[in-house]
């Protein structure tokens, strides 16, 4: 197993670990992670009802699953950072790109959830 792990770059290893930990936190936080993610992207969804007005059996599973599915964003960001590193981009640029991709993935996850339920 270690023969596959050691050749991976730091960013790739970090992304895999972050995805696993975040997926677990998405479940164990009982929706707090998903709600926090929603508040970071909610200004884009002003055409939908506010978070505090959501009701129904879909709300809690949606908030929990948003936190869990967001963990995949770390994998996407890690892949992009890995390929951008090959073109000799600065570490600051790669870090900013990593953060932007994770945020855009949160937007995507919440857009899909909201478009299904509203």
């Amino acid at each position: 197993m270690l023969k596959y792990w050691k050749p991976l770059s730091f960013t790739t290893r970090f992304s895999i670990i972050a995805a696993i930990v975040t997926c677990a936190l998405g479940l164990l936080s009982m929706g707090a992670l998903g709600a926090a993610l929603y508040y970071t992207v909610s200004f884009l969804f002003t055409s939908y009802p506010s978070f505090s007005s959501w009701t129904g059996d879909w709300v809690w599973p949606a908030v929990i699953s948003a936190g869990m599915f967001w963990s995949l964003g770390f994998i996407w960001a890690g892949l992009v950072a890995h390929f951008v590193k090959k073109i000799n981009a600065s570490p600051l640029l790669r870090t900013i790109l990593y953060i932007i991709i994770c945020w855009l993935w949160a937007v995507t996850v919440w857009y899909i959830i909201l478009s299904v339920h509203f």
Side-chain angles (χ1 to χ4, degrees), residues 11 15 37 40-41 44 69-85 92-110:
T11 306
S15 298
L37 287 171
T40 65
V41 300
L44 297 172
F69 283 119
W70 180 65
S71 67
L72 295 175
F74 287 100
I75 302 296
W76 304 126
L79 288 171
V80 170
H82 175 74
F83 288 114
V84 168
K85 186 177 183 177
L92 178 63
L93 176 68
R94 288 194 317 264
T95 303
I96 291 170
L97 189 61
Y98 196 96
I99 292 168
I100 289 171
I101 290 170
C102 286
W103 183 79
L104 286 173
W105 185 247
V107 171
T108 304
V109 166
W110 272 113

Side-chain angles (χ1 to χ4, degrees), residues 2 8 19-20 22 24 27-29 31 39 49-50 54-55 57 62 68 71 73 75 81 88-89 91 98 115-116:
L2 284 177
L8 297 175
I20 293 168
T22 307
L27 178 65
L28 297 175
S29 70
Y39 282 116
S50 68
W54 295 355
T55 59
D57 292 339
M68 292 179 70
S71 67
I75 302 296
N88 294 326
Y98 196 96
S115 64
V116 165

Side-chain angles (χ1 to χ4, degrees), residues 15-36:
S15 298
I16 292 168
I17 292 169
I20 293 168
V21 169
T22 307
C23 186
L25 284 176
L27 178 65
L28 297 175
S29 70
M30 308 221 15
L33 177 61

